[in-house]
């Protein structure tokens, strides 16, 4: 989603702003722009498409000035055009914004009546016009910004810059994250610390409802009631903000390859060498009657897999829902239950809103997040970091398998606390998990045969993924990954559902990817696979050596993964699903790391 940066610096701002915007590219965007104040004059440059277009424009029409704001826009209100691109400017005010101003129509009508007409279709220009109006009425820039912010409803992060003010920026946060960076005689604003990493590692996160007045001397922060607020300054580990491809062609390739290492790290963090769990105090399932898991997209499929684990291993009733439905469904929640929210970014608007709905209604609000400083982590009773490291590729890979790993550990803890498994069984399960990184390395070594299969998949118009039991959500994830980055239509189905409808789609042109380790459900899945082959469907069977030997005959292609206890097989089978999507996208020549229309962190509803 949109990225924001702001600089009150001692050097030319434009190159710093563009560099910071580059570091926010991973969030997804379709236009970009910057504004600076130079000798009191406010000016801006905006371009549609990738940042390189903005950089080209700046070569021909440079922007001088040491104070500036910048933005990458992921279109919400109005198409990706130069007029709709940020910064928006109205008289002496320029604004960049992430989020949605829900009452912008009413404000726009009010402003139009007062003679403040809008050029763009955006909700953001309304903010700039409102501030301009307050300034026209005699308010100072600071008071105009303050009164503007007070009129806004919805979720937003904002940064204001003013003509005639070389040493002033106003930043505000409500619902969308915003970080303030402290330099020496310089101050910065960014959607996240990653954007600011080349400039500073000293960061203050604004809290909900905060707004801040920044000058080169520092930041004065006010809460939603305009009281002075003290917010801690933290030092960010630069390691945690590293966004390099490290020799890989794409971030996604690097992140797929990193999985054995990050999963080993997560296991080391949450378990002991003696075969016991080391989860934070408070992770105690005694007396818990149910777990409700809520997330979006890939993270919701991780919850879907975990539902099988909580129910089968721990005997704990588990519900799952996508956050955008959960938040409006008004589900009754048991006071003895836990609500668990899974999110890579920790900023997904729907998941955050769902968490706020659950707060106070359940015994404990727990989150499984990748960004420990995120809103979801901060608003949970207990936050478990997944320790995947920065994930830049828009299509989630290592965060998914790390989410699964942490959820598996939680399910084991629940099983142990509820007396469903003893110490010996727990140690055996943990052993199986500890073998995962090695097995994942084996799965990664299949990249070349997978690339060859992907060359064929790239020609398909529709692809189906099938799985049973905990492999069913993995079929959903495999299909999501493929459509996200290759733009091929793909669907995941529970194998047993095939004959209830989707089988009508099968013909020789539709590849069907069957993910089936040799588990208790294998024979049933094979029957469904036979139904596909009987209708000339092209089956790719992904299984272990026994499975491929038993059922591979007649399949179009097979891929053999190492043996592992079937219960945790979804974590391993995620790798071929990711590699299939990756190589299919490469074969189609699509933008792997920044697929069209997608954003990394979805901070609007
Ligand atoms: C898909 C993908 C998305 C995210 C979803 C939730 O590859 O990345 O479906 O999983 O937008 O995002 P987080 O996990 O940040 O809440």
């Amino acid at each position: 989603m949109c990225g924001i940066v702001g600089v009150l610096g001692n050097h030319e701002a434009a190159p710093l702003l563009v560099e910071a915007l580059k570091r926010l590219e991973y969030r997804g965007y379709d236009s970009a722009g910057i504004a600076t104040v130079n000798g009191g004059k406010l000016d801006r440059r905006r371009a549609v498409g990738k940042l390189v277009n903005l950089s080209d424009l700046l070569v021909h029409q440079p922007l001088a000035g040491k104070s500036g704001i910048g933005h990458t826009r992921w279109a919400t209100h109005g198409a990706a055009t130069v007029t709709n691109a940020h910064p928006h400017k109205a008289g002496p005010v320029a604004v960049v914004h992430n989020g949605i101003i829900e009452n912008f129509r009413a404000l726009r009508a009010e402003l139009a009546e007062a003679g403040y007409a809008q050029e763009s279709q955006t909700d953001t220009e309304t903010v700039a016009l409102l501030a301009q109006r307050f300034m026209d009425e005699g308010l100072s820039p600071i008071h105009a910004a303050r009164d503007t912010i007070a009129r806004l409803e919805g979720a937003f992060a904002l940064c204001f810059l003013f003509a005639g003010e070389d040493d002033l920026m106003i930043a505000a946060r409500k619902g969308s994250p915003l970080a303030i960076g402290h330099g020496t005689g310089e101050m910065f604003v960014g959607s996240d610390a990653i954007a600011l990493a080349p400039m500073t590692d000293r960061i203050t996160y604004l809290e909900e409802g905060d707004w801040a007045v920044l000058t080169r001397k520092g930041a004065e922060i006010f809460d939603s009631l305009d009281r002075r607020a003290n917010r801690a300054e933290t030092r960010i580990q630069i390691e945690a903000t590293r966004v390099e491809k490290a020799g890989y062609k794409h971030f996604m390739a690097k992140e797929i390859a990193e999985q054995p290492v990050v999963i080993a790290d997560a296991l080391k963090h949450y378990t002991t060498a003696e075969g016991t769990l080391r989860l934070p105090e408070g992770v105690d399932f005694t007396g818990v009657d149910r777990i409700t898991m809520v997330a979006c997209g890939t993270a919701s499929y991780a919850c879907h897999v975990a539902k099988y684990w909580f129910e089968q291993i721990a005997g704990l009733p588990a519900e799952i829902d996508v956050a955008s439905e959960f938040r409006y469904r008004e589900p009754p929640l048991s006071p003895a239950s836990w609500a668990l929210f899974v999110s890579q970014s920790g900023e997904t608007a729907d998941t955050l809103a769902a968490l706020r709905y659950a707060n106070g209604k359940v015994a404990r609000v727990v989150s499984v997040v990748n960004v420990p400083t995120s809103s979801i982590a901060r608003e949970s009773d207990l936050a478990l970091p997944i320790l995947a490291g920065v994930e830049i590729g828009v299509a989630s890979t290592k965060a998914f398998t790390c989410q699964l790993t942490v959820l598996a550990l939680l399910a084991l803890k629940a099983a142990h606390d509820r007396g469903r498994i003893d110490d010996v069984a727990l140690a055996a399960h943990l052993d199986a998990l500890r073998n995962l990184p090695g097995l994942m390395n084996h799965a990664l070594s299949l990249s070349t045969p997978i690339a060859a299969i992907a060359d064929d998949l790239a020609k398909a118009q529709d692809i189906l993924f099938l799985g049973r039991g905990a492999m069913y959500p993995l079929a959903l994830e495999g299909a999501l990954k493929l459509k996200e980055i290759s733009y091929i239509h793909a669907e995941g189905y529970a194998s047993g559902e095939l004959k209830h409808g989707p089988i009508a789609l099968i013909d020789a042109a539709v590849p069907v990817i069957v993910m089936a380790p040799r588990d208790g459900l294998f024979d049933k899945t094979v029957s469904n696979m036979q139904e596909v082959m009987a209708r000339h469907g092209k089956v790719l069977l992904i299984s272990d050596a026994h499975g491929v030997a038993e059922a591979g005959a007649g399949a179009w292609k097979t891929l053999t993964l190492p043996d592992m206890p079937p219960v945790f097989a979804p974590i391993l089978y995620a790798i071929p699903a990711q590699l299939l999507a990756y190589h299919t996208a490469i074969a189609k020549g699509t933008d792997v790391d920044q697929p069209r229309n997608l954003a990394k962190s979805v901070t609007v509803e």
Side-chain angles (χ1 to χ4, degrees):
M1 296 259 121
C2 305
I4 288 180
V5 289
V7 171
L8 291 177
N10 295 324
H11 304 94
E12 282 305 299
L16 296 177
L17 291 167
V18 172
E19 167 60 22
L21 290 178
K22 255 190 207 133
R23 297 172 69 85
L24 291 173
E25 273 195 303
Y26 76 95
R27 296 163 71 95
Y29 70 105
D30 29 45
S31 61
I34 62 170
T36 59
V37 181
N38 186 30
K41 187 169 173 287
L42 183 64
D43 204 354
R44 65 179 164 171
R45 303 284 181 268
R46 299 175 293 168
V48 172
K50 294 287 177 198
L51 270 175
V52 65
N53 300 342
L54 178 65
S55 298
D56 285 352
L57 181 68
L58 286 165
V59 170
H60 299 109
Q61 298 171 36
L63 258 194
K66 294 178 179 165
S67 311
I69 54 178
H71 191 263
T72 45
R73 173 174 187 253
W74 186 83
T76 56
H77 295 79
T81 60
V82 171
T83 313
N84 287 334
H86 301 210
H88 283 283
K89 192 167 161 300
V93 185
V95 177
V96 287
H97 163 221
N98 172 21
I100 289 182
I101 308 298
E102 284 169 2
N103 60 336
F104 90 99
R105 279 185 193 81
L107 292 173
R108 187 167 60 183
E110 180 187 315
L111 285 161
E113 201 148 300
Y116 293 87
Q118 189 153 332
E119 271 177 20
S120 74
Q121 296 153 293
T122 65
D123 49 346
T124 310
E125 193 186 356
T126 311
V127 178
L129 283 166
L130 190 56
Q132 179 191 14
R133 182 182 181 183
F134 283 130
M135 286 181 71
D136 287 349
E137 288 170 359
L139 292 191
S140 68
I142 295 175
H143 290 146
R146 179 199 61 192
D147 288 6
T148 299
I149 295 159
R151 295 282 320 269
L152 305 179
E153 289 167 18
F156 51 80
L158 289 165
C159 192
F160 294 81
L161 192 69
F162 303 91
E165 301 283 349
D166 272 319
D167 193 22
L168 178 68
M169 268 188 320
I170 310 283
R173 174 208 164 125
K174 186 180 162 207
S176 295
L178 203 57
I180 289 178
H182 305 261
T184 312
E186 299 185 298
M187 289 298 286
F188 310 99
V189 171
S191 289
D192 59 33
I194 295 173
L196 304 183
M199 299 179 272
T200 183
D201 62 348
R202 290 165 50 209
I203 298 290
T204 299
Y205 289 100
L206 291 185
E207 292 190 6
E208 275 304 281
D210 282 356
W211 64 283
V213 178
L214 287 99
T215 65
R216 284 181 177 76
K217 286 204 192 81
E220 264 188 292
I221 301 178
F222 301 89
D223 68 12
S224 55
L225 299 174
D226 295 337
R227 296 173 303 205
R228 283 290 294 273
N230 274 327
R231 306 290 180 225
E233 181 185 313
T234 48
R235 268 193 195 265
I236 297 296
Q237 284 181 347
I238 287 298
E239 196 54 35
T241 59
R242 193 151 281 159
V243 288
E244 282 140 23
K245 290 189 193 141
Y248 288 89
K249 214 166 152 207
H250 299 100
F251 283 110
M252 186 181 179
K254 170 175 169 260
E255 288 156 8
I256 290 174
E258 277 172 353
Q259 290 177 102
V261 173
V262 289
I263 283 181
D265 287 348
L267 287 169
K268 211 177 282 166
H269 186 83
Y270 289 120
T271 67
T272 67
E274 293 75 44
T276 58
L277 286 162
R278 188 168 40 203
L279 290 164
E281 219 175 290
V283 181
D284 184 345
F285 288 86
T286 317
V288 176
D289 65 359
R290 174 172 295 272
I291 184 159
T292 300
M293 289 177 279
V294 183
C296 298
T298 288
S300 80
Y301 297 145
C303 296
H304 205 147
V305 173
K307 175 181 165 72
Y308 288 83
W309 293 334
F310 277 109
E311 293 186 346
Q312 289 175 350
I313 312 174
L316 180 64
E319 280 175 28
I320 40 166
D321 207 342
V322 288
S324 52
E325 289 301 317
F326 178 88
R327 62 182 291 191
Y328 294 116
R329 200 159 49 83
E330 299 185 15
L333 297 170
S334 153
S337 71
W338 279 19
L340 193 145
F341 300 86
V342 179
S343 174
Q344 188 284 127
S345 62
E347 300 294 350
T348 300
D350 283 322
T351 310
L352 183 58
L355 181 151
R356 288 177 181 156
Y357 171 82
N359 224 331
K361 298 188 180 70
V362 293
R364 188 151 285 170
V365 167
V366 181
S367 62
V368 170
V369 288
N370 198 26
V371 182
T373 51
S374 61
S375 307
I376 289 176
R378 285 208 304 258
E379 294 192 27
S380 308
D381 299 326
L382 198 68
L384 286 101
I386 59 169
L387 307 164
V390 184
E391 188 179 69
I392 298 291
V394 162
S396 189
T397 52
K398 62 175 180 170
F400 176 65
T401 47
C402 283
Q403 284 161 354
L404 286 176
T405 304
V406 173
L407 290 168
L409 297 176
L410 284 174
L412 290 175
K413 180 72 167 69
H416 195 255
D417 289 346
R418 292 164 62 81
R420 299 283 290 226
I421 56 171
D422 60 14
D423 291 350
V424 176
L426 173 64
H429 279 305
L430 294 181
D431 251 4
L433 285 172
R434 262 195 293 269
N435 284 334
L436 253 174
L439 303 177
M440 287 181 127
N441 275 321
H442 181 123
L444 288 167
S445 74
L446 299 176
S447 190
T448 307
I450 289 177
I453 295 171
D455 282 343
D456 279 323
L457 291 182
K459 295 173 200 138
Q461 285 203 329
D462 305 283
I463 298 179
L464 301 186
F465 285 74
L466 299 182
R468 251 180 205 270
M471 300 305 287
Y472 160 46
L474 199 66
L476 298 173
E477 168 62 4
L480 176 69
K481 214 84 308 167
L482 190 86
K483 63 187 148 198
E484 276 186 299
I485 60 169
S486 75
Y487 315 146
I488 294 175
H489 172 243
E491 297 296 336
Y493 287 102
S495 311
E497 272 293 293
L498 190 70
K499 53 188 160 302
H500 298 290
I503 201 162
L505 297 173
I506 303 293
D507 65 24
V510 180
V512 179
I513 299 169
V514 180
M515 296 196 283
R518 181 90 190 72
D519 58 12
L521 301 172
F522 182 72
D523 292 339
K524 295 191 188 300
T525 307
V526 169
S527 302
N528 305 133
M529 192 178 106
Q530 297 295 346
E531 291 155 12
V532 171
M533 296 196 300
R535 286 157 184 86
H536 312 292
K538 282 165 70 167
V539 169
L540 162 60
L541 172 64
I542 308 178
S543 186
D544 45 44
H546 292 294
V548 168
E550 259 178 58
W556 166 57
K557 305 270 181 199
T558 58
L559 279 171
T560 307
L561 291 183
D563 285 340
M564 75 166 297
V567 62
F568 298 126
I571 311 180
L572 177 65
Y573 280 60
I575 292 206
Q578 295 164 352
L579 287 172
L580 279 168
Y582 176 73
H583 287 297
T584 307
I586 298 286
K588 290 205 70 182
T590 51
D591 187 342
V592 170
D593 283 333
Q594 290 164 35
R596 69 184 180 203
N597 304 340
L598 294 179
K600 182 70 184 158
S601 172
V602 183
T603 49
V604 296
E605 263 194 66

